[in-house]
Amino acid sequence: MRKQKLIVLLAIALSLQAGAQKPAFSISGMAGVSYENYGLSRKPTGWTGFTPRKPWNQVRFNFTPTMQFGKDFSLPFNFNFAMKPTNFAGPYTGLQKQSFGQFITNPMNSFGLNPKYKWAELQLGTQYLNYSNLSTGDIGVFGAGFDLRPGAYVIKFFTGVSQQGVNFFTGPPTTNGAYKRSNWMFSLGRAKEGKYELALNFVKAKDDTTTLVAPVSGIKPQEGFTMSIVSKAWFKGGWYYSAEAAQSIYTKDLLLPLDSAKASFKPFIDGHASTVKDVAADAAFGRKSKNFDLGLRLKYLGAGFQTPGYPFMLPDRFDYMLTTRINAWKSKEGSYKMNIVASGGQRVNNVSNTTLRAKQFIGNLNWFTQFNDHWNLNISFNNFGFQAPGGINPYGIRNVSTDLGINPTWTWSNEKMVNLLSLNYTYSKYDERDVFTGLVTSNNTHTGLLSYVPTFLKSGISPDFSLMYFLNKLPGFKTTLITFSSGVAFPALKKKMNLRIQGQYTYSKNNSFTGNNNLIGSLNSDWKLNKKLTWTTFISTNQFHYGNEITPNNARYLESTIRTGFQYKFGK
């Protein structure tokens, strides 16, 4: 706490120093407040098959201005918060009224302040900091730190809390709980824009074992430490390379005793009976030019590698991928052109051979062709998946997703209107293996979407129409869905207000059950009260009528949402 107070005092001192110079002052950004009311009516009376999805009343605030004092000092704010907590650190865990500390550190809220004077930046509040691909960059942390860049040197440090302590709660809904987790991160290096980067990164996270009373099975307090070295360089002719090597020491259960035979790195982390140590590497090199790119990407993650900054990174794998970008051809007038962005490679899971090694093709393609001023075609393909060791189950997890999309578009216009007609077809296949039986289930989906959007140039009226067909098949289960939607946007009150009205009807059917009917309507309005102040309103209703697939038959609900608020724009 004393360290954070010193950082805050330093921020105030920088502000006073910048103010003493009496520089030109400017401010930009937004500030606003909104109120949302949620309603739910269910029939028959007493049926609880559909539960409320929002609090009945909610007030939200956003305050995101950037104050600029001359060219050297800036003060950006990022405050976004709600008065009523609705996530796991709220009423769902028995926490009816938050303290001020719980309120500002709640992950659903964001309080960030980043004063910057020349090459010195302070980072206060909620920050999402990306140091590198193998150290930290995937979590939000509430705390304090700095980013200093004197000359070619780079010095970064941040410490704070990424996870609150939440006790087990029987519900409903049931919450398993979580330990309070504190994070530290530090980076030291040199960099010259467009030339090179070199940095040493250190990241640590540790759970507080006293913050969870009577934890449920499977919730273990953990501690992790990762160090990495990053090197990047750019050369003439478009050549480049980047590389990172990392080592992690991770304790999976702090409640187990200390063990001198296990890996440690004092004074940062001590070895316990559940501590593991492993390495990882990530490298890329290639060449970029105006019309052609070619590169190779390699990534290796050891079976025991785990870094606090990327808690959901899948270990024990080796990826290698070839990437390319091609501007195939283009007319001088720009009436036709072709762009291709693609990558392909292989993922090898279970490299440690603790279970059967598995290989998976990974790749994606985006192929865009504009034939003339009216026709263009976009083709996309994506294949992604992962496989994990069996662990306590006989078989390991296997999830593979394959998607193919075809999207032709036709546009035509005259002096009065512009027309757009688009057809989008997507085929998706998702294979998943049962970890107990080893059986692979295929989930096949076909989606077709036809859209027509005319725009009337003189009046500003822009309607849209779309028709969607959706078919999903699983072994023993089939879902069919047909949706028609239409909307219209138009100006009002001498173009001071923008209105949009939207309606949607959906018919869905599961197996041989009678169909479900869903009707949704919404109204959006943005009213510019003056150059800086806008009044926004959103009203929606959602009526769903079930068939006979659930008990009681023909149950239905009516959802309604009314949200209104004001947004103020700073600056000119």
Side-chain angles (χ1 to χ4, degrees):
M1 182 61 69
R2 179 177 297 178
K3 183 185 301 181
Q4 295 181 2
K5 288 181 177 179
L6 289 175
I7 294 177
V8 173
L9 290 175
L10 180 56
I12 296 174
L14 287 173
S15 302
L16 293 175
Q17 180 181 351
Q21 298 174 1
K22 297 182 179 180
F25 173 79
S26 65
I27 183 171
S28 61
M30 302 289 293
V33 58
S34 65
Y35 166 75
E36 183 174 279
N37 175 268
Y38 176 78
L40 177 64
S41 174
R42 294 171 290 198
K43 292 182 181 181
T45 302
W47 172 60
T48 60
F50 185 84
T51 58
R53 296 190 286 186
K54 299 179 181 180
W56 304 116
N57 298 279
Q58 181 67 278
V59 178
R60 303 178 188 274
F61 295 89
N62 68 283
F63 184 67
T64 58
T66 297
M67 301 179 184
Q68 187 72 39
F69 301 85
K71 65 177 183 178
D72 292 331
F73 182 75
S74 62
L75 186 60
F77 293 79
N78 181 21
F79 292 175
N80 292 276
F81 58 95
M83 299 308 296
K84 185 176 293 184
T86 57
N87 64 340
F88 66 88
Y92 294 153
T93 54
L95 183 60
Q96 299 299 328
K97 187 176 181 181
Q98 293 180 315
S99 67
F100 179 74
Q102 292 169 331
F103 175 74
I104 62 174
T105 60
N106 192 317
M108 74 169 294
N109 298 327
S110 177
F111 294 89
L113 183 63
N114 293 60
K116 184 176 182 180
Y117 181 70
K118 292 185 177 180
W119 47 261
E121 177 186 357
L122 291 178
Q123 299 164 333
L124 308 173
T126 305
Q127 306 285 334
Y128 291 82
L129 303 176
N130 187 308
Y131 280 11
S132 70
N133 293 330
L134 297 177
S135 61
T136 187
D138 199 29
I139 58 173
V141 181
F142 182 89
F146 53 79
D147 185 336
L148 308 179
R149 298 173 184 262
Y153 291 95
V154 179
I155 307 170
K156 303 178 187 178
F157 172 79
F158 197 84
T159 181
V161 177
S162 63
Q163 179 175 280
Q164 295 187 51
V166 178
N167 278 321
F168 169 77
F169 184 61
T170 55
T174 301
T175 303
N176 290 335
Y179 290 95
K180 178 181 178 181
R181 175 165 293 187
S182 298
N183 292 67
W184 298 264
M185 55 193 78
F186 174 74
S187 180
L188 176 63
R190 284 177 61 93
K192 188 174 182 180
E193 187 175 356
K195 296 295 184 179
Y196 66 86
E197 292 181 18
L198 181 65
L200 288 171
N201 301 313
F202 302 89
V203 182
K204 180 182 177 180
K206 186 175 183 179
D207 291 341
D208 186 344
T209 59
T210 65
T211 55
L212 182 56
V213 180
V216 298
S217 176
I219 305 298
K220 306 295 183 183
Q222 300 179 345
E223 180 181 16
F225 178 78
T226 301
M227 47 189 167
S228 77
I229 180 170
V230 181
S231 175
K232 300 179 181 180
W234 296 266
F235 307 96
K236 292 182 179 181
W239 292 95
Y240 69 91
Y241 89 89
S242 66
E244 181 178 11
Q247 182 179 77
S248 73
I249 302 175
Y250 207 90
T251 299
K252 299 181 179 297
D253 188 355
L254 279 172
L255 298 179
L256 295 179
L258 292 169
D259 188 344
S260 59
K262 296 292 184 177
S264 64
F265 194 77
K266 297 182 178 181
F268 301 105
I269 185 170
D270 292 321
H272 287 67
S274 61
T275 299
V276 294
K277 176 182 177 182
D278 217 323
V279 297
D282 188 1
F285 56 91
R287 183 177 184 270
K288 293 185 177 182
S289 63
K290 183 178 179 180
N291 295 314
F292 180 73
D293 296 350
L294 185 64
L296 179 64
R297 181 73 181 268
L298 307 170
K299 176 177 283 190
Y300 168 77
L301 301 173
F305 183 83
Q306 190 168 349
T307 179
Y310 293 94
F312 304 108
M313 184 182 292
L314 178 70
D316 199 12
R317 77 175 199 259
F318 175 59
D319 297 351
Y320 55 93
M321 181 175 291
L322 188 68
T323 63
T324 186
R325 179 189 62 87
I326 303 172
N327 291 334
W329 43 266
K330 180 179 180 181
S331 66
K332 294 181 179 180
E333 302 82 9
S335 59
Y336 61 87
K337 59 184 177 181
M338 180 185 294
N339 299 322
I340 302 172
V341 178
S343 63
Q346 192 172 62
R347 169 167 294 173
V348 183
N349 294 90
N350 310 329
V351 181
S352 61
N353 284 321
T354 54
T355 59
L356 182 65
R357 182 173 294 186
K359 296 181 179 180
Q360 169 66 42
F361 169 73
I362 53 177
N364 63 76
L365 168 71
N366 190 279
W367 187 336
F368 174 81
T369 304
Q370 180 177 317
F371 298 99
N372 52 45
D373 292 334
H374 302 290
W375 283 99
N376 64 65
L377 175 66
N378 193 79
I379 299 175
S380 62
F381 172 80
N382 181 70
N383 192 85
F384 176 80
F386 72 89
Q387 304 188 51
I392 62 175
N393 299 317
Y395 302 93
I397 298 172
R398 179 177 183 267
N399 296 325
V400 179
S401 177
T402 304
D403 302 295
L404 173 65
I406 302 174
N407 176 214
T409 301
W410 182 36
T411 60
W412 72 99
S413 62
N414 53 41
E415 295 179 355
K416 296 182 178 181
M417 63 187 301
V418 177
N419 301 272
L420 183 147
L421 184 65
S422 175
L423 176 64
N424 195 331
Y425 168 75
T426 303
Y427 169 73
S428 298
K429 183 181 180 182
Y430 178 75
D431 293 338
E432 183 175 18
R433 180 168 59 199
D434 188 293
V435 296
F436 296 101
T437 65
L439 297 177
V440 177
T441 301
S442 291
N443 187 334
N444 298 297
T445 302
H446 300 266
T447 305
L449 177 63
L450 178 65
S451 302
Y452 171 59
V453 181
T455 301
F456 298 91
L457 300 176
K458 294 183 178 181
S459 63
I461 298 176
S462 180
D464 62 80
F465 309 90
S466 66
L467 179 65
M468 184 181 74
Y469 175 78
F470 174 89
L471 175 64
N472 176 252
K473 289 185 178 180
L474 282 166
F477 197 82
K478 175 183 176 181
T479 298
T480 305
L481 183 147
I482 300 174
T483 297
F484 173 76
S485 65
S486 179
V488 59
F490 55 93
L493 298 178
K494 297 181 180 181
K495 297 185 177 181
K496 291 183 178 181
M497 177 184 289
N498 292 319
L499 291 173
R500 177 169 175 79
I501 302 173
Q502 183 79 25
Q504 176 179 297
Y505 169 74
T506 300
Y507 174 82
S508 59
K509 183 177 175 62
N510 296 317
N511 286 351
S512 59
F513 295 107
T514 58
N516 307 313
N517 294 276
N518 183 211
L519 184 62
I520 299 175
S522 65
L523 169 65
N524 288 270
S525 72
D526 294 325
W527 186 1
K528 290 187 177 181
L529 302 178
N530 55 46
K531 292 183 178 180
K532 295 186 177 183
L533 185 63
T534 302
W535 181 13
T536 63
T537 301
F538 171 76
I539 302 173
S540 72
T541 178
N542 177 17
Q543 182 171 349
F544 197 101
H545 193 156
Y546 290 93
N548 62 356
E549 64 184 77
I550 67 168
T551 303
N553 292 166
N554 301 311
R556 58 189 183 274
Y557 65 83
L558 176 64
E559 263 187 320
S560 60
T561 300
I562 300 175
R563 182 170 62 247
T564 185
F566 296 91
Q567 289 289 326
Y568 181 82
K569 180 181 179 181
F570 294 102
K572 298 180 181 180

